[in-house]
Amino acid sequence: MEHIELFFKSIFIDNMVFATFLGMCSYLAVSKKVTTAVGLGAAVIFVLAITVPLNWLLDQYILQPGALTWLGAEYADYDLSFLSFIMFIATIATMVQLVEIIVEKFSPSLYNSLGIFLPLIAVNCAILGGSLFMQSREIATLGLATTYGVGSGIGWFLAILAIAAIREKIRYSDVPPPLRGLGITFIITGLMAIGFMSFGGMLTGGDEAEKPKENTAQIETVKDNSTTKEIANNTKVIN
Amino acid sequence: MAKDSKLILDPLTDNNPITIQVLGICSALAITAELEASIVMSISVLFVMGVGNVVISLMRNIIPSKIRIIVQLIVVATLVIIVDQVLKAYAYELSKTLGAFVGLIITNCIIMGRFEAFALGNGPWRSFLDGIGNALGYAVILIIVGFFRELLGSGTLLGIQILGDPVAKTGLYAFGYENNGFMLLSPMALIVVGIIIWIQRSRNRALIED
């Protein structure tokens, strides 16, 4: 159950493109045609499914405060978490390189059709973002980390597929010239993001108490709390 | 000399990294709900771009081209760790708001893009100027978006009440104005950037795509 919940949550509610804006550069650059979009999307799912669990292991057994206890009791208070960026990016770059070599060996046609997009995945923020969010959301087990990686990859895939399909059709419509290309793509993405926000109630059955946790929402709630606190203080004073 | 100043001025307008080159958009959108976060993010990128461009430019003749991506990533990651640790030490609350997005400076495509396109082929001084120029171009968009989102979304700028007090109903709120909470949500960042692109391209018709 936990797996299913996390899976759908990472596809729809915390969708990488629409909720956290990860991987926007390649999302905008590679979404002109459906076929290339599908190729890149599949590669992103694959790389995320490998790197997120790998980085989870790294985080759990090397980087977290106290993670080195398996080496011996004297290592218990080591905290290497400041190294996480460099370790994560090294894992990702290595895995991307490996994937590139494997794909080139076993499927040269796929390799040629992906072209320069494969190495570009190393600098796709969706991939690093997947690992960083895995760390900050404190995902509990290796299995859940894999689910999270696959789920967010599928979410990204869906987003780029949808925008590529829309952009193929929008060529025939009468967009104001200054808005053509990039401008309209931004605005369509914004509208799609509004649509995806409605998935927020999917897992909670519309229960307001459990809103999806994202950055902006958090900022908002913090502010709300402070104002309600002020009001509460004021009423106390009046009483 | 005129060429050098072009390196800084071009990215601010006609060759803006966000609206024209389509680079570095992820972080540009995610943290712009507050002006303060936008400014801190801009300064961090300015530091990483300036220093990183110089370092890569100094090493450009000794990096084997096959492993250049990983070398570039390591340089950026090191600089970002410095930024992250400084933020954690001196602005802890802010580093919580920025969260994972400080780490995402590593994969900010502007940085890799400028390394590939400029620092690998030019001397340190010109690379430095190019880095600063592009980071400033990025900062301009971030600050515009952050300004409008915070002003219209929560009626404040840098946390200071501008439009009056929404609880006591002073200032604009006395006339029935309400904060547009929608501006704080993520989709509006995309739409605001879309509108900026629209305005920029209607002013300079040469930039229109077909």
Side-chain angles (χ1 to χ4, degrees), chain A residues 17-26 28-29 32 81-86 89-90 93-94 97 119-120 122-126 128-130 132-133 136 167 176-187 189-191 193-194 197 214-220 223 227 230-231 234, chain B residues 18-20 22-27 29-31 33-34 66-67 69-70 73-74 77-78 80-81 84-85 96-109 112 149-150 154 156 167 181-182 184-191 193-195 197-199 201-202 205 208-210:
Chain A
V17 174
F18 298 128
T20 44
F21 306 115
L22 296 177
M24 285 297 282
C25 316
S26 27
L28 290 167
K32 282 187 184 125
S81 52
F82 70 94
L83 281 178
S84 39
F85 296 156
I86 214 163
I89 202 73
T94 322
Q97 198 92 64
L120 272 186
V123 280
N124 185 331
C125 10
L128 182 64
L132 289 175
F133 278 116
S136 65
R167 282 181 87 172
L179 209 49
R180 262 176 217 161
L182 194 59
I184 196 73
T185 315
F186 263 103
I187 290 176
T189 311
L191 296 176
I194 297 176
M197 281 169 66
E214 52 169 302
N215 263 353
T216 46
Q218 271 171 350
I219 296 168
E220 221 180 352
K223 274 188 185 152
T227 47
E230 275 166 29
I231 296 168
N234 289 343
Chain B
I18 293 184
T19 59
I20 310 295
V22 206
L23 296 173
I25 297 174
C26 332
S27 57
L29 297 169
I31 44 85
E34 286 180 1
K66 279 208 161 164
I67 58 160
I69 297 222
I70 206 160
L73 283 175
I74 300 290
T78 318
V80 171
I81 289 176
D84 186 46
Q85 296 294 318
K96 282 244 145 161
T97 318
L98 291 175
F101 289 98
V102 178
L104 289 172
I105 297 177
I106 300 174
T107 45
N108 190 322
C109 351
M112 296 298 286
R149 283 183 76 192
E150 190 177 345
S154 21
T156 59
V167 181
F182 200 52
L184 293 176
L185 297 174
S186 35
M188 280 315 285
L190 287 158
I191 294 174
V193 175
I195 293 170
I197 293 174
W198 190 0
I199 295 170
R201 292 191 184 181
S202 10
R205 297 241 147 206
I208 292 175
E209 297 172 45
D210 40 34

Side-chain angles (χ1 to χ4, degrees), chain A residues 223, chain B residues 33 149-156 161 163 166 173 179-180 184:
Chain A
K223 274 188 185 152
Chain B
R149 283 183 76 192
E150 190 177 345
L151 184 66
L152 301 178
S154 21
T156 59
Q161 294 287 349
L163 302 179
Y173 297 99
N179 282 335
N180 183 0
L184 293 176

Side-chain angles (χ1 to χ4, degrees), chain A residues 14 84 97 152 161 210 213 215 227-228 237:
Chain A
D14 288 332
S84 39
Q97 198 92 64
S152 349
L161 187 64
E210 279 194 89
K213 281 180 193 161
N215 263 353
T227 47
T228 45
V237 172

Side-chain angles (χ1 to χ4, degrees), chain B residues 3-4 7 53 57 118 122-132:
Chain B
K3 254 175 117 187
D4 283 357
L7 286 175
N53 255 357
S57 160
F118 202 91
N122 288 283
W125 173 241
R126 282 171 57 81
S127 302
F128 177 71
L129 291 180
D130 182 73
I132 298 292

Side-chain angles (χ1 to χ4, degrees), chain A residues 5 30 61 123 158 192 223:
Chain A
E5 194 178 317
V30 189
Y61 293 106
V123 280
L158 261 184
M192 279 160 79
K223 274 188 185 152

